[in-house]
Amino acid sequence: MTVRQTDGAFADAHRRMWRELLPVGRYQGSGGYRRYAWTAADAECRAWFQEQAAARGLAYEVDRNGNQWAWWGDRQGTDAVVTGSHLDSVPDGGAFDGPLGVVSSFAAVDALRERGAAPRRPLAIVNFGDEEGARFGVACVGSRLAAGVLTPDQAAELRDAQGVRLPDAMERAGQDPSAIGADHERLARIGAFVELHVEQGRCLADTPHPVGVASAIWPHGRWRFDFAGEANHAGTTRLEDRRDPMLTYANTVLAARKKARLAGALATFGKVAVEPNGVNAIPSMVRGWLDSRAADEATLDALVAEIEKAAGERAERDGVGLAVTRESYTPVVDFDLGLRDRVGSILKESTGIGVPVLPTGAGHDAGILSSAVPTAMLFVRNPTGVSHSPSEFAEEEDCVAGTAALAEVLESLACR
Ligand code: HGY
Ligand code: MN
Ligand code: MN
């Protein structure tokens, strides 16, 4: 991809910001990141964001839901163009999922300034809080609260693994939890939101394109399966006398995998909690979290119903109790067609070649906001497709191409 280069200082800025963030929240044991909402690592990321805003003379603010904003132009103005992403991570996540979008946003602003472009509409960079939901279980908390799809009452019920409530964690981190809630007035002032993100698949990998545009996000959700059994001695309890929830859980994992394959969809149990978690005790409780996704809602709903049915039948056989709680659900997102086409033609014009348009199974703040604001996404090529893992990767020159593409889009949307 040939991009309109200035003197390339924005690429140096990209590199410098990237190096600054690399050590923050990195767990030496895995090489991955543990940047969970409202923790010390998150605070370091947030301080870094504030410094970047200050270094550029951008007006900095934190909204009622803890999302950070850096404004170029009138922050009360209307029809704003907003870009950004998130800085938190999944457990042992990669360096790119989230931070690439934030770093690229600051670097894109640098690129616009290098070329003397001035926004005619307010332009903002945002860091949405708690996108991954690694600590409190629900993803995209910052954007969900702003859009009003997560209510303050629901948010107040969220607890981390240690039982700390989300409002208490916010308060300890210096954010007033009594203010959280829908921010329709703020969202109404946004004319377009464009999020750049590392691709989390291999659609671009074997193409000559370092950048693609998103078409849609698969519907997806999280369900907690509580399997309640009876704690007992591992050495003295006959197999036929056991009410072992681990057995029910294990069968449910296998059933989910098989049913997802048959449905052409996805089902993952990636998190499990066992009580009392003793090596020589039959568990009293196994909690497993199902993440399921499909190309359409009917398929997703049918798949989850089948998994619940299989779990229920097995639970009955095992003498185990079962309760299933839907913890979050995100309907299908079709990104705004007008904005998507506009982004596609801006990039075609600046690079001379068309840009691939691709769907994704990953959730994003851009998807949450899409019900209230025209949103679009740019994906940067990921050679292996690996994500939510320490080995997540993108080539530096692709990241710079992504920044250049974002700068073109922002210039066209905000400066012309
Ligand atoms: O889980 C997801 O899809 C996302 O990366 N938050
Ligand atoms: Mn992610
Ligand atoms: Mn992400």
Side-chain angles (χ1 to χ4, degrees):
M1 186 183 200
T2 317
V3 291
R4 179 149 66 92
Q5 295 283 357
T6 52
D7 65 3
F10 77 92
D12 295 338
H14 197 289
R15 237 170 260 127
R16 180 180 41 72
M17 287 188 279
W18 196 248
R19 275 199 305 267
E20 286 167 4
L21 273 180
L22 275 184
V24 181
R26 190 151 192 242
Y27 174 56
Q28 295 305 330
S30 65
Y33 290 88
R34 297 183 173 182
R35 296 169 176 161
Y36 308 144
W38 309 114
T39 61
D42 190 42
E44 255 192 89
C45 290
R46 294 170 66 84
W48 174 88
F49 183 96
Q50 187 172 358
E51 281 161 23
Q52 298 311 309
R56 291 166 177 80
L58 303 174
Y60 172 77
E61 64 176 337
V62 180
D63 70 22
R64 56 191 293 191
N65 296 307
N67 306 307
Q68 296 179 292
W69 301 77
W71 290 93
W72 184 6
D74 178 10
R75 68 183 200 204
Q76 294 303 328
T78 55
D79 209 18
V81 174
V82 179
T83 184
S85 190
H86 62 97
L87 293 173
D88 68 315
S89 78
V90 295
D92 291 350
F96 295 79
D97 178 356
L100 183 63
V102 180
V103 165
S104 301
S105 298
F106 282 113
V109 162
D110 294 343
L112 295 189
R113 287 179 165 178
E114 275 178 43
R115 61 177 79 153
R120 298 155 66 101
R121 299 161 65 177
L123 201 165
I125 299 172
V126 61
N127 168 32
F128 281 110
D130 200 1
E131 195 273 350
E132 298 288 5
R135 183 171 173 193
F136 296 100
V138 173
C140 300
V141 168
S143 56
R144 273 184 210 275
L145 282 168
V149 295
L150 180 70
T151 66
D153 286 349
Q154 290 168 329
E157 291 305 310
L158 299 177
R159 287 173 192 272
D160 71 7
Q162 278 68 47
V164 178
R165 292 167 63 249
L166 171 63
D168 296 336
M170 289 178 94
E171 191 156 30
R172 280 178 212 165
Q175 177 74 24
D176 175 11
S178 68
I180 62 172
D183 209 347
H184 299 307
E185 188 271 332
R186 175 178 293 272
L187 298 190
R189 285 190 278 110
I190 302 176
F193 175 60
V194 182
E195 178 172 0
L196 176 146
H197 205 278
V198 68
E199 198 203 340
Q200 297 170 292
R202 295 194 72 258
C203 289
L204 298 172
D206 299 321
T207 75
H209 302 280
V211 179
V213 177
S215 57
I217 298 179
W218 278 22
H220 55 281
R222 297 178 182 184
W223 291 260
R224 193 183 78 231
F225 283 58
D226 294 336
F227 301 97
E230 183 181 50
N232 214 330
H233 197 293
T236 60
T237 319
R238 297 185 321 157
L239 294 180
E240 52 273 42
D241 293 339
R242 297 180 180 206
R243 291 170 47 219
D244 184 351
M246 188 62 85
L247 205 57
T248 324
Y249 168 68
N251 274 281
T252 303
V253 174
L254 296 175
R257 166 67 187 231
K258 184 172 174 188
K259 289 177 188 306
R261 179 169 51 77
L262 294 174
L266 298 167
T268 308
F269 278 94
K271 176 176 168 181
V272 62
V274 181
E275 292 172 17
N277 213 16
V279 69
N280 54 355
I282 297 159
S284 57
M285 170 72 81
V286 175
R287 285 200 174 88
W289 280 262
L290 170 69
D291 175 311
S292 191
R293 312 183 187 215
D296 60 81
E297 286 163 36
T299 306
L300 176 62
D301 297 347
L303 171 60
V304 174
E306 277 193 49
I307 297 170
E308 276 193 53
K309 185 162 174 272
E313 285 167 3
R314 182 71 209 199
E316 206 166 313
R317 258 173 75 187
D318 295 337
V320 161
L322 171 67
V324 180
T325 310
R326 188 174 91 174
E327 294 195 336
S328 67
Y329 188 86
T330 307
V332 66
V333 172
D334 286 307
F335 285 108
D336 186 89
L337 205 54
L339 184 60
R340 178 180 114 191
D341 286 350
R342 180 143 181 225
V343 167
S345 35
I346 294 165
L347 297 183
K348 186 166 181 197
E349 200 180 308
S350 66
T351 62
I353 51 171
V355 174
V357 177
L358 36 134
T360 177
H364 300 283
D365 295 305
I368 303 297
L369 293 191
S370 67
S371 55
V373 173
T375 58
M377 289 192 75
L378 300 180
F379 290 134
V380 170
R381 180 164 54 193
N382 175 338
T384 61
V386 171
S387 187
H388 286 187
S389 151
S391 47
E392 180 180 78
F393 181 68
E395 296 289 351
E396 186 180 279
E397 66 180 301
D398 288 356
C399 296
V400 170
T403 298
L406 181 63
E408 293 293 341
V409 170
L410 297 180
E411 182 173 3
S412 176
L413 294 179
C415 305
R416 288 186 195 139

